[in-house]
Amino acid sequence: MQNIQNITPCLWFDGQAEEAAHFYTSVFKKSKIEEVLLYGEAGPGEKGSVLTVTFSLNGQQFVALNGGPEYHFTPAVSFMVPCDTQEEIDHYWTRFLEGGAPVQCGWLTDKFGVSWQIFPRILPAMLQDKDAKKADSVMRAMMGMVKLDLAQLRLAYEQA
């Protein structure tokens, strides 16, 4: 049975939709630009300029819209990127910080203002461990980090 995506995030940009889509597809291995839709005579953008770019990141479809300066991204919505290794964490962290800014606990904002959470896939299980000492130890370790360090999180978990 094929997985059919029913919800597609639409990201609102002020003239940077195509640049953003190309950047994001360069970050994720299994990604591609699927379609570029241009403004026509009816506007409201200049005829022939980019209205939307449909792209996919690891099979998840997105639409980037050149909607204008009215709206901006906030950390109230972020995209979570679970990673299996520190190398993956480092890759995404480094790429998204190109023109972006680190926050805390694996969060960062990219150069377009979009918030991302780069975290080890095992982290939720560690934070939900039935042994409260282990879960608390991992939480304390995570709260002291900007980019998450998988080895340090495992150490906090194992030594609790």
Side-chain angles (χ1 to χ4, degrees):
M1 183 169 156
Q2 184 178 357
N3 181 21
I4 298 174
Q5 182 174 314
N6 291 314
I7 297 173
T8 301
C10 180
L11 306 174
W12 182 295
F13 294 91
D14 182 17
Q16 302 168 308
E18 191 169 28
E19 178 188 355
H22 282 287
F23 174 70
Y24 297 142
T25 56
S26 78
V27 172
F28 292 89
K29 291 179 184 174
K30 298 177 190 171
S31 302
K32 64 181 177 178
I33 302 290
E34 296 176 4
E35 180 180 55
V36 177
L37 179 62
L38 305 177
Y39 280 106
E41 290 286 341
E46 182 180 326
K47 180 183 176 184
S49 66
V50 173
L51 170 60
T52 63
V53 180
T54 303
F55 61 102
S56 62
L57 305 176
N58 289 345
Q60 169 70 47
Q61 191 175 70
F62 292 81
V63 172
L65 165 71
N66 279 328
E70 292 84 3
Y71 301 109
H72 304 277
F73 298 109
T74 75
V77 173
S78 63
F79 295 102
M80 299 174 70
V81 182
C83 300
D84 292 318
T85 65
Q86 187 65 45
E87 290 77 21
E88 278 185 276
I89 291 168
D90 295 345
H91 164 76
Y92 291 116
W93 189 263
T94 300
R95 289 301 314 274
F96 283 125
L97 277 184
E98 294 172 8
V103 182
Q104 185 181 353
C105 303
W107 289 60
L108 57 84
T109 303
D110 70 24
K111 63 185 171 184
F112 303 104
V114 175
S115 293
W116 298 84
Q117 295 179 54
I118 312 302
F119 69 99
R121 188 179 307 275
I122 194 167
L123 182 61
M126 293 163 75
L127 291 171
Q128 296 173 28
D129 195 284
K130 291 180 187 203
D131 182 336
K133 284 185 178 182
K134 288 181 180 268
D136 289 347
S137 179
V138 172
M139 179 62 84
R140 278 192 295 282
M142 181 187 73
M143 293 301 292
M145 296 178 186
V146 177
K147 177 177 77 172
L148 298 185
D149 183 316
L150 180 54
Q152 290 299 314
L153 292 169
R154 282 188 175 140
L155 187 63
Y157 181 80
E158 292 164 2
Q159 290 185 345

